Amino acid sequence: MSTGRDSGLQPERTRLAWRRTLLTATVVTALAVRLASTGDPVGTLIAGVTVVVWGALLMLCWPRATGTGPARTGGRTLPLVAFGTVGLALLGVLLVLRGLG
């Protein structure tokens, strides 16, 4: 009887999930930068904040997305990523609604 744990494809699924998080953040950032290109001062401020949040998410997620970081997320990393991702998701919805209105 084996006492070791067979992780199977779990590490690959985890890396793919981190990559999807980064891809989503990148798309929202691109939308915000596009909004800033219209010359709207509010759009420029939103784009600046979005780029800063995107950079922070990139620094936190990249090691995990490439498999070079720690396997477990501990401490404050996961709540920070969750907060940043939810914030960018809400911003993405606002950008879409603003574009449709």
Side-chain angles (χ1 to χ4, degrees), residues 5-25:
R5 182 174 170 235
D6 180 21
S7 62
L9 294 176
Q10 182 61 40
E12 182 179 1
R13 287 193 304 265
T14 300
R15 282 192 305 273
L16 290 172
W18 284 107
R19 287 179 185 172
R20 283 191 305 269
T21 299
L22 283 174
L23 179 62
T24 303

Side-chain angles (χ1 to χ4, degrees), residues 42-63:
V42 174
T44 303
L45 178 66
I46 291 172
V49 170
T50 304
V51 169
V52 169
V53 171
W54 176 78
L57 283 174
L58 186 64
M59 287 177 26
L60 290 171
C61 295
W62 187 257

Side-chain angles (χ1 to χ4, degrees), residues 18-90:
W18 284 107
R19 287 179 185 172
R20 283 191 305 269
T21 299
L22 283 174
L23 179 62
T24 303
T26 302
V27 169
V28 172
T29 303
L31 288 172
V33 169
R34 182 174 176 220
L35 175 67
S37 68
T38 62
D40 181 20
V42 174
T44 303
L45 178 66
I46 291 172
V49 170
T50 304
V51 169
V52 169
V53 171
W54 176 78
L57 283 174
L58 186 64
M59 287 177 26
L60 290 171
C61 295
W62 187 257
R64 290 164 182 87
T66 58
T68 59
R72 294 183 181 261
T73 57
R76 298 182 196 152
T77 303
L78 196 54
L80 285 174
V81 170
F83 180 72
T85 302
V86 168
L88 287 179
L90 291 174

